[in-house]
């Protein structure tokens, strides 16, 4: 929030307005200006009414002016702005009643009575909405009391010339409408400034969200890479081993081929073994390629294209990757992996990359939970993570169950909120489950629910609508 200039503070320093923020400074100085304006505006009106033969009208006006000057002096001495505002608003609403009595007629003083609207308007500008409502009720009472006074105690026709009545009434209307316009313009300006600040905050939050999402994505990519490093080593070992064996078979076949008497049966056997080895090399080479491809797909942004996806293969793949990712950090960690996939599971039309990210998050959390419970040293505890899939005509359900630490009931309702995590500081961003929830509910039109018992385990259920190619 900006502050006022030195000269503005110096000018209003005697009234205690020094060091205020710009909005508060403007509000207070405007209130003082309104008091000065009403005093100055009252003088010509009182003189006009005195010239027209109403000697009591100037007295009422000068009583108001004297009260306002005393109020300004009190502000100067006490620096109590709220007391000054209250006293001035009360004076503004009482002055029209005194002028009405002095002039002696509702029609003659209608323009004066109308000026009492300045009190609730001033309350709106300088206090609060609740206080302004009170002053508006007082304004209504002012008008009603003036009308009743005129009806009961004033008789005869209006005493002022018609031209004076019209000029007085029109001038009051112009002044009051001008103040209303300035009030509305001030409110709209503040609303526009608030909207600009809100938009700036929203842009900042969106930029921060993008950064945090990228951070969470890189964190999950790190988990995936650790699992891949272990998982890809197996097919590479097979490729290397079968390549060495195949090289030996080729050498043996070459020696047999150069013998004067060749053993056809041995050659066939060597060729058969060589063929089997090459098939295994091809199989494990494709397996390594598949792992690398999955890693690349996980690291890339989603294309948003739905494709028939084998959920069983996807879950099995990322279950093992998450497991080996944690084992890469803790070699002592072991867990039982249980899978229950129906043999007739049909492909589901999904964005595979998004579902892969979700499953990796769920599996990583499950393994983290069972590892935490394992480290407590419970006798006979066997870490277990189970995955099952159920499918019917309308939807498919993926259940991820672990027998880990569970989640306290008091925070269960928060687990899908952004930035909430039960992990220690530095071990989690609090975005994994939140992003997973958004992907499932908003991106896939499904649901993600949790059933958990503290100290016994958690079961997360992903429900997706079935859409077959």
């Amino acid at each position: 929030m900006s502050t006022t200039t030195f000269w503005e503070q110096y000018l209003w320093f005697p009234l205690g307005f020094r060091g205020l923020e710009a909005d508060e400074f403007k509000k207070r100085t405007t209130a003082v200006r309104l008091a000065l304006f009403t005093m100055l505006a009252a003088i010509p009106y009182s003189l006009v009414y005195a010239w027209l033969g109403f000697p009591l009208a100037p007295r009422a006006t000068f009583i108001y002016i004297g009260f306002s000057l005393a109020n300004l002096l009190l502000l100067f001495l006490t620096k109590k702005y709220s007391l000054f505002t209250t006293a001035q608003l009360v004076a503004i609403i009482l002055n029209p009643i005194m002028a009405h009595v002095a002039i002696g007629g509702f029609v003659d003083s209608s323009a004066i009575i109308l000026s009492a609207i300045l009190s609730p308007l001033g309350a709106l500008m300088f206090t609060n909405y609740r206080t302004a409502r009170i002053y508006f009720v007082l304004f209504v009472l002012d008008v009603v009391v003036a009308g009743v006074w005129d009806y009961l105690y004033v008789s005869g026709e209006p005493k002022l010339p018609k031209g004076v009545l019209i000029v007085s009434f029109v001038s009051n209307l112009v002044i009051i409408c001008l103040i209303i316009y300035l009030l509305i313009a001030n409110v709209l300006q503040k609303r526009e400034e608030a909207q600009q600040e809100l938009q700036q905050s929203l842009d900042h939050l969106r930029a921060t969200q993008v950064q945090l999402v990228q951070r969470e994505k890189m964190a999950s990519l790190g988990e995936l890479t650790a699992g891949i490093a272990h998982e890809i080593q197996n097919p590479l070992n097979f490729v290397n081993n079968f390549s060495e064996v195949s090289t030996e078979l080729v050498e043996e076949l070459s020696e047999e081929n150069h013998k004067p008497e060749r053993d056809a049966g041995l050659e066939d056997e060597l060729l058969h073994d060589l063929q089997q080895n090459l098939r295994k090399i091809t199989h494990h080479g494709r397996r390594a390629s598949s792992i690398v491809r999955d890693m690349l797909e996980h690291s890339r942004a989603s294309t948003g294209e739905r494709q028939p996806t084998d959920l069983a293969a996807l879950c099995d793949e990322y279950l093992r990757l998450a497991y080996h990712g944690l084992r890469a950090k803790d070699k002592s960690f072991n867990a039982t992996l249980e899978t229950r996939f129906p043999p007739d599971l049909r492909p589901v039309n999904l964005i595979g990359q998004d579902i892969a990210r979700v499953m990796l998050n769920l599996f990583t959390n499950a393994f983290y939970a069972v590892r935490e419970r394992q480290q407590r040293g419970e006798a006979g505890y066997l870490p277990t993570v189970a995955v099952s899939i159920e499918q019917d005509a309308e939807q498919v359900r993926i259940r991820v169950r672990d027998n880990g630490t569970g989640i306290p009931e008091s925070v269960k309702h928060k687990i899908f909120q952004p930035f909430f995590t039960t992990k220690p500081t530095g071990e989690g961003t609090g975005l994994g489950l939140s992003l997973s929830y958004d992907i499932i509910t908003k991106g896939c039109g499904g649901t993600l629910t949790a059933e958990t018992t503290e100290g016994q385990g958690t079961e997360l259920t992903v429900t997706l609508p079935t859409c077959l190619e």
Side-chain angles (χ1 to χ4, degrees):
M1 190 70 69
S2 60
T3 56
T4 56
T5 66
F6 170 78
W7 291 110
E8 288 176 325
Q9 293 186 25
Y10 182 79
L11 179 64
W12 295 97
F13 172 72
L15 298 179
F17 294 170
R18 185 177 181 181
L20 298 174
E21 293 185 345
D23 289 344
E24 183 65 20
F25 179 85
K26 181 179 179 181
K27 183 176 75 173
R28 293 192 178 193
T29 54
T30 304
V32 174
R33 289 189 181 100
L34 178 62
L36 295 173
F37 169 78
T38 54
M39 285 190 292
L40 293 175
I43 294 175
Y45 277 99
S46 62
L47 295 177
V48 169
Y49 281 107
W51 177 67
L52 293 173
F54 297 93
L56 293 178
R59 297 180 186 178
T61 300
F62 286 117
I63 289 175
Y64 169 75
I65 294 174
F67 178 86
S68 298
L69 291 174
N71 198 25
L72 286 170
L73 178 61
L74 184 66
L75 176 63
F76 172 76
L77 295 175
T78 65
K79 308 297 190 295
K80 294 182 179 180
Y81 167 75
S82 59
L83 178 62
F84 162 79
T85 305
T86 301
Q88 197 64 36
L89 291 175
V90 171
I92 290 175
I93 208 166
L94 290 179
N95 181 57
I97 285 290
M98 293 190 297
H100 167 73
V101 174
I103 295 172
F106 180 73
V107 176
D108 299 84
S109 62
S110 58
I112 301 297
I113 291 293
L114 192 60
S115 66
I117 193 64
L118 294 177
S119 184
L121 291 180
L124 278 175
M125 295 178 66
F126 311 123
T127 59
N128 54 62
Y129 179 66
R130 183 178 179 182
T131 304
R133 284 188 298 178
I134 296 175
Y135 283 104
F136 182 77
V137 171
L138 294 176
F139 161 71
V140 173
L141 290 176
D142 258 9
V143 177
V144 172
V145 169
V148 172
W149 176 278
D150 184 74
Y151 180 77
L152 295 178
Y153 301 106
V154 179
S155 60
E157 297 297 325
K159 302 175 183 178
L160 294 177
K162 182 177 180 181
V164 174
L165 284 175
I166 294 176
V167 171
S168 176
F169 191 79
V170 169
S171 60
N172 272 280
L173 278 180
V174 170
I175 293 173
I176 293 169
C177 289
L178 175 62
I179 294 176
I180 294 175
Y181 171 81
L182 294 175
L183 174 64
I184 295 176
N186 183 57
V187 171
L188 292 178
Q189 182 182 1
K190 288 184 177 180
R191 187 175 70 173
E192 184 177 351
E193 292 174 355
Q195 287 177 341
Q196 291 177 353
E197 292 180 3
L198 182 61
Q199 185 61 44
Q200 292 175 356
S201 300
L202 182 60
D203 292 340
H204 177 70
L205 286 175
R206 285 175 177 170
T208 303
Q209 183 184 33
V210 170
Q211 294 174 359
L212 291 173
V213 169
Q214 184 65 21
R215 178 182 172 186
E216 175 65 24
K217 180 179 174 182
M218 295 307 297
S220 64
L221 182 59
E223 297 283 348
L224 180 64
T225 303
I228 286 173
H230 182 282
E231 190 73 8
I232 203 172
Q233 191 63 46
N234 289 331
L236 288 178
N237 287 338
F238 278 111
V239 169
N240 291 333
N241 292 336
F242 283 118
S243 296
E244 292 176 2
V245 173
S246 298
T247 300
E248 294 175 0
L249 291 175
V250 170
E251 291 175 354
E252 189 175 348
L253 182 60
S254 178
E255 291 176 2
E256 185 66 26
N257 189 42
H258 287 85
K259 290 180 179 180
E261 296 181 2
R262 298 163 58 182
D263 186 342
L266 179 59
E267 289 182 351
D268 289 341
E269 183 179 350
L270 291 174
L271 287 172
H272 180 267
D273 291 342
L274 183 59
Q275 186 181 36
Q276 291 295 323
N277 287 350
L278 291 176
R279 287 176 179 172
K280 291 180 179 178
I281 289 173
T282 302
H283 170 75
H284 290 290
R286 289 176 178 172
R287 168 73 181 139
S289 298
S290 174
I291 294 172
V292 173
R293 183 178 64 252
D294 289 341
M295 180 185 69
L296 293 175
E297 288 182 354
H298 184 86
S299 64
R300 287 196 298 263
S302 174
T303 62
E305 296 180 1
R306 295 177 179 268
Q307 296 179 348
T309 303
D310 185 346
L311 285 179
L314 184 146
C315 289
D316 185 67
E317 178 87 15
Y318 283 87
L319 177 66
R320 285 183 288 103
L321 290 176
Y323 175 58
H324 292 306
L326 187 54
R327 275 183 52 81
K329 297 179 179 179
D330 184 0
K331 300 294 184 183
S332 65
F333 173 70
N334 285 289
T336 300
L337 311 184
E338 297 179 358
T339 57
R340 190 170 71 251
F341 305 142
D344 58 344
L345 183 66
R346 301 179 300 278
V348 180
N349 202 34
L350 296 168
I351 303 174
Q353 297 159 261
D354 290 347
I355 300 301
R357 292 191 180 105
V358 171
M359 300 317 301
L360 182 63
N361 276 324
L362 300 189
F363 295 147
T364 300
N365 286 343
F367 285 121
Y368 180 89
V370 298
R371 176 173 172 266
E372 287 293 298
R373 185 175 177 183
Q374 183 188 48
Q375 291 179 340
R376 296 177 181 177
E378 297 181 23
Y381 173 67
L382 296 175
T384 304
V385 175
V387 186
S388 64
I389 300 178
E390 303 168 2
Q391 187 180 50
D392 55 36
E394 296 182 354
Q395 59 187 11
V396 58
R397 286 175 295 277
I398 307 172
R399 303 184 190 275
V400 180
R401 178 174 51 83
D402 67 73
N403 62 344
T405 54
I407 302 172
E409 188 67 27
S410 59
V411 299
K412 176 184 173 182
H413 65 286
K414 298 181 180 179
I415 62 174
F416 297 126
Q417 294 179 3
F419 312 115
F420 176 80
T421 179
T422 57
K423 298 177 182 178
T425 303
E427 293 191 20
T429 62
L431 285 173
L433 283 179
S434 173
L435 292 176
S436 299
Y437 184 83
D438 286 345
I439 290 173
I440 296 301
T441 58
K442 298 178 182 178
C444 301
T447 60
L448 176 57
T449 58
E451 294 293 333
T452 180
T453 302
E454 186 176 3
Q456 297 184 21
T458 302
E459 180 176 284
L460 291 166
T461 303
V462 176
T463 304
L464 300 168
T466 300
C467 183
L468 305 179
E469 281 279 301

